[in-house]
């Protein structure tokens, strides 16, 4: 009997479009001789539905978008859970939901209650890695160097904007980056060179989140490492995008056709093993399982600063995460998907040995 593979994509998130791009690539690469695939679309309003079987020959982003039968989220979710996802036989879920309501532990909590194996990080590690403010506390406790930062909450901003601006200028200075605490794909992030830009950047970021991280800029290169595995994770060769952007924003990441990858990244002797070791330390400090991409800054003095951990990195054919593995050990895109599914099933099997009664 084939394993039923439920692929969740879309989602109530500003990264909805990114998820659709990821889903197309994944669905085109799944071995249908081994898996019976069930695509499940989550609308921007949080409604669940399915487009039904999609042939690879006709698969497009437009074909992935389905019309929900019910306008009530609870009823639409219940219909999918009691129908499509309740089919008998072995099953595994692959959540391809970037950002809020998918990458932040909420979906993982639901899947834990359903007691099904699922690809990627668990509830706690998903929540920690998406929340940049909490992640930075974990990194500090693990004694992993990061750039100077401060956290600002909407309550304090609404009470005294001028005090927050003065605090940033005194503690962080310019240039600095203002980031919503719990978003990815560089959405809502601003690079600020003066008070006017800082003011507009904070207002923009607060429209996406009620908690912000404001960081001192590190003038240097951004180096990325792909990590995979559960108890004994592995780290890929480091890689970097070669580009001329002073700020690698959403448009730069997804629209610039001139981007090129350098994998392995050209680094000084001894730096590659150190970055790989730090990536695994950060991964384990957050309790990650399955996969994550760990991003560093490397300044002109050779100092490393861990930037952030992405628990569900971009996963198209042209994304850094799968390409780093292909150039590290020859793992193809399809093989990488099967490895991730294998880690999901192994973790779930291991959890079934736990006792829930005395």
């Amino acid at each position: 009997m084939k394993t039923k593979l439920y692929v969740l994509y879309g989602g109530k998130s500003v990264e909805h479009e990114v998820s659709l791009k990821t889903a197309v690539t994944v669905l085109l690469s799944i071995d249908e001789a081994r898996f019976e695939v069930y695509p499940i679309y989550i609308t921007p309003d949080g409604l669940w539905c399915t487009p039904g079987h999609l042939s690879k020959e006709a698969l497009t982003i437009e074909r992935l978008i389905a019309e929900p039968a019910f306008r009530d989220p609870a009823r639409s979710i219940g219909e999918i859970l009691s129908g499509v996802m309740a089919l008998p036989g072995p099953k595994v879920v692959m959540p391809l939901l970037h950002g809020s309501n998918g990458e932040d532990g909420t979906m993982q909590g639901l899947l834990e209650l359903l007691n099904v194996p699922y690809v990627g990080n668990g509830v706690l590690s998903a929540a920690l890695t998406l929340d940049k403010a909490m992640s930075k506390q974990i990194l500090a406790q693990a004694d992993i160097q990061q750039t100077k930062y401060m956290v600002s909450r909407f309550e304090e901003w609404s009470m005294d904007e001028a005090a927050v601006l003065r605090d940033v200028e005194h503690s962080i200075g310019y240039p600095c980056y203002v980031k919503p605490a719990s978003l990815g794909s560089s959405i809502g992030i601003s690079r600020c060179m003066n008070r006017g830009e800082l003011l507009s950047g904070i207002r923009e970021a607060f429209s996406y989140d009620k908690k912000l991280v404001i960081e001192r800029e590190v003038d240097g290169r951004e180096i990325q490492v792909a990590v995979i595995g559960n108890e004994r994770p592995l780290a890929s060769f480091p890689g970097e995008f070669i580009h001329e952007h002073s700020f690698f924003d959403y448009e730069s990441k997804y629209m610039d056709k001139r981007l090129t990858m350098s994998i392995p990244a050209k680094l000084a002797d001894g730096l590659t093993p150190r970055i790989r070791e730090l990536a695994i330390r950060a991964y384990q400090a957050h309790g990650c399982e399955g996969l994550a991409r760990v991003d560093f800054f490397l300044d002109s003095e050779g100092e490393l600063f861990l930037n952030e951990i992405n628990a569900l990195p971009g996963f198209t054919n042209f994304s850094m995460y799968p390409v780093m593995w292909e150039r590290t050990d020859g793992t193809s895109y399809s093989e990488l998907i099967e490895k991730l599914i294998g880690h999901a099933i192994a973790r779930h099997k291991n959890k079934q040995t736990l006792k829930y009664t005395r």
Side-chain angles (χ1 to χ4, degrees):
M1 180 182 293
K2 292 183 185 178
T3 297
K4 292 175 176 61
L5 176 61
Y6 299 99
V7 179
L8 310 184
Y9 59 91
K12 190 177 180 180
S13 167
V14 294
E15 296 183 73
H16 187 95
E17 291 182 13
V18 180
S19 175
L20 291 173
K21 293 178 181 179
T22 296
V24 166
T25 315
V26 169
L27 288 167
L28 285 171
S29 303
I30 291 170
D31 182 359
E32 293 182 334
R34 294 192 57 198
F35 299 101
E36 188 176 342
V37 183
Y38 293 85
I40 297 173
Y41 174 56
I42 302 175
T43 73
D45 298 324
L47 303 173
W48 290 38
C49 51
T50 177
H53 176 73
L54 296 170
S55 67
K56 291 185 178 181
E57 293 73 22
L59 186 58
T60 64
I61 285 179
E62 291 72 26
R63 292 287 303 278
L64 287 178
I65 298 172
E67 186 65 30
F70 304 101
R71 306 308 304 179
D72 175 67
R75 190 172 181 189
S76 73
I77 294 171
E79 190 74 11
I80 294 295
L81 295 184
S82 63
V84 180
M85 293 185 69
L87 294 171
K91 61 188 68 174
V92 63
V93 179
M94 192 167 194
L96 303 177
L97 301 161
H98 298 284
S100 53
N101 301 298
E103 195 180 342
D104 57 1
T106 52
M107 180 60 67
Q108 290 75 15
L110 174 60
L111 297 173
E112 289 286 348
L113 291 175
L114 296 175
N115 194 31
V116 294
Y118 59 91
V119 170
N121 288 273
V123 176
L124 180 59
S125 52
L128 286 175
T129 51
L130 192 64
D131 188 325
K132 296 178 179 66
M134 292 303 299
S135 177
K136 286 184 176 295
Q137 292 187 40
I138 299 296
L139 293 172
Q141 291 176 347
D143 197 26
I144 296 175
Q145 183 169 244
Q146 52 194 322
T147 189
K148 190 167 186 180
Y149 75 96
M150 59 176 282
V151 176
S152 180
R153 290 174 171 80
F154 184 73
E155 290 77 13
E156 61 185 357
W157 172 253
S158 60
M159 290 177 61
D160 194 341
E161 294 184 4
V164 173
L165 295 172
R166 288 194 301 270
D167 194 11
V168 174
E169 291 175 331
H170 175 74
S171 302
I172 307 299
Y174 301 110
C176 65
Y177 285 88
V178 178
K179 304 178 178 181
S182 298
L183 274 185
S185 296
S186 298
I187 295 171
I189 298 180
S190 299
R191 181 177 185 264
C192 307
M193 296 293 293
N194 53 55
R195 177 170 282 206
E197 292 179 354
L198 178 61
L199 178 62
S200 61
I202 289 176
R203 288 174 175 170
E204 167 76 2
F206 272 134
S207 70
Y208 292 104
D209 202 341
K210 298 305 179 185
K211 181 169 64 174
L212 311 182
V213 171
I214 304 171
E215 302 172 345
R216 178 177 294 170
E217 181 179 69
V218 176
D219 185 15
R221 301 158 62 187
E222 185 171 356
I223 309 297
Q224 304 180 4
V225 179
V227 183
I228 191 170
N230 296 341
E231 293 86 359
R232 292 182 290 277
L234 302 173
S236 72
F237 288 144
E240 69 178 318
F241 279 110
I242 306 301
H243 60 89
E244 298 179 355
H245 302 281
S246 59
F247 169 32
F248 205 29
D249 59 8
Y250 182 91
E251 285 71 25
S252 304
K253 288 181 176 179
Y254 297 104
M255 308 299 179
D256 188 349
K257 304 301 182 184
R258 299 169 298 171
L259 290 177
T260 59
M261 296 180 186
S262 175
I263 306 171
K266 296 178 175 60
L267 299 170
D269 290 344
L271 199 52
T272 291
R274 183 181 167 208
I275 290 178
R276 296 174 82 177
E277 185 271 330
L278 278 174
I280 290 176
R281 275 181 54 196
Y283 186 89
Q284 293 179 318
H286 287 77
C288 291
E289 294 178 295
L291 78 159
R293 195 192 68 228
V294 186
D295 300 343
F296 298 87
F297 290 124
L298 177 64
D299 72 9
S300 57
E301 304 299 317
E303 285 289 315
L304 274 174
F305 301 85
L306 199 147
N307 177 25
E308 63 184 33
I309 302 179
N310 191 326
L312 184 60
F315 214 84
T316 71
N317 281 324
F318 307 104
S319 298
M320 184 68 84
Y321 185 92
V323 177
M324 281 193 285
W325 280 117
E326 192 277 330
R327 298 189 188 177
T328 297
D329 60 12
T331 299
S332 70
Y333 191 95
S334 296
E335 290 169 339
L336 184 58
I337 290 173
E338 294 198 13
K339 282 186 178 184
L340 292 171
I341 291 172
H343 288 307
I345 293 171
R347 179 181 63 187
H348 182 260
K349 183 178 179 180
N350 189 43
K351 289 190 71 173
Q352 302 317 298
T353 65
L354 297 176
K355 293 173 61 176
Y356 295 95
T357 58
R358 291 192 295 171

